[in-house]
Amino acid sequence: MLSYAAPLAGPDDPATAREVARSVNEFAAELVKNRPDRFGHFAVLPLPDVDGALAEAAHALDELDADGVLVLSNAHGRYLGDPAFEPLWAELDARSTVILVHPTAPPGPPLADVPLPLVDFPYDTTRAALHMTVRGVPRRYPRMRMILPHAGGFLPYAAQRFALAARLHTDATGDGGGTTPEDFLTDLRRFYFDTALDAYPNWEPGRLHAIDRGNAELLIPRPARTPVP
């Protein structure tokens, strides 16, 4: 599945971000068009520009036949539970869109001698998922199917601890409903995990403890692949 998991432009240049997103998505669509037996693609969206993201999502899903969309775990420091992003989630939910939440660097300077992908990326994946859950995004938009890469970051290992966040809010869902720790765990189970970089001895038990074992459908069925000659 082809995707572009990097910032599109600087934080003060939404016009360039829109332009790069369109160029990347059309390039990926052309690759898929040439080899549909081998490739699919997730379209990148130019967040935090919500209007640009809505326009690009419509173009990619309607015109380019994208299999879903990709958003970064934070958009120049703005996390995915930000109320400004609600129109995008509403549109993607209406389309039952598959959304890949790919990690990026969190705000602030990196720790010296610790490469970003080792700790900061799984940390930011987890931070984004928790922010969305605390703000009630998965509950309000249950038709969106959100994938957390790299086995879900740190989310599976500390799901019970994270569920205590429900006790810190009288209205954690953002919709007037409130929630309990068990409700919070139910919302965390709405996320799907991919299996990239998960081949570690202690990974499986934590993952199975956190996720809903019945929620294991194939998200994106595609034609059978032709074996590589």
Side-chain angles (χ1 to χ4, degrees), residues 34-78:
N34 291 336
R35 291 300 305 270
D37 58 319
R38 297 298 302 251
F39 298 117
H41 76 111
F42 288 138
V44 66
L45 303 183
L47 286 178
D49 174 9
V50 175
D51 289 340
L54 282 166
E56 192 58 33
H59 176 73
L61 296 170
D62 294 339
E63 305 297 329
L64 303 181
D65 197 27
D67 295 284
V69 300
L70 178 146
V71 296
L72 296 178
S73 51
N74 76 82
H76 301 300
R78 294 175 66 180

Side-chain angles (χ1 to χ4, degrees), residues 25-195:
N25 293 336
E26 292 189 342
F27 177 77
E30 194 64 24
L31 291 177
V32 175
K33 180 180 176 181
N34 291 336
R35 291 300 305 270
D37 58 319
R38 297 298 302 251
F39 298 117
H41 76 111
F42 288 138
V44 66
L45 303 183
L47 286 178
D49 174 9
V50 175
D51 289 340
L54 282 166
E56 192 58 33
H59 176 73
L61 296 170
D62 294 339
E63 305 297 329
L64 303 181
D65 197 27
D67 295 284
V69 300
L70 178 146
V71 296
L72 296 178
S73 51
N74 76 82
H76 301 300
R78 294 175 66 180
Y79 281 87
L80 300 178
D82 192 314
F85 298 157
E86 288 287 309
L88 178 62
W89 305 139
E91 176 63 20
L92 296 180
D93 183 71
R95 293 172 174 268
S96 298
T97 307
V98 177
I99 304 166
L100 177 63
V101 181
H102 198 280
T104 189
L111 187 63
D113 302 320
V114 178
L116 285 169
L118 292 183
V119 173
D120 296 79
F121 280 20
Y123 157 77
D124 215 59
T125 298
T126 306
R127 199 179 201 193
L130 284 174
H131 193 240
M132 295 183 85
T133 304
V134 167
R135 295 295 179 90
V137 173
R139 182 177 297 190
R140 287 196 300 280
Y141 303 113
R143 289 178 290 184
M144 296 192 308
R145 291 168 291 171
M146 293 174 286
I147 305 171
L148 303 180
H150 314 137
F154 303 135
L155 188 66
Y157 308 98
Q160 297 287 341
R161 178 185 178 97
F162 295 151
L164 297 178
R167 300 188 184 279
L168 304 178
H169 301 269
T170 57
D171 176 21
T173 66
D175 61 6
T179 190
T180 67
E182 186 53 44
D183 293 331
F184 201 87
L185 283 173
T186 296
D187 289 341
L188 290 179
R189 292 186 182 107
R190 298 178 191 271
F191 291 99
Y192 293 82
F193 305 148
D194 77 11
T195 54

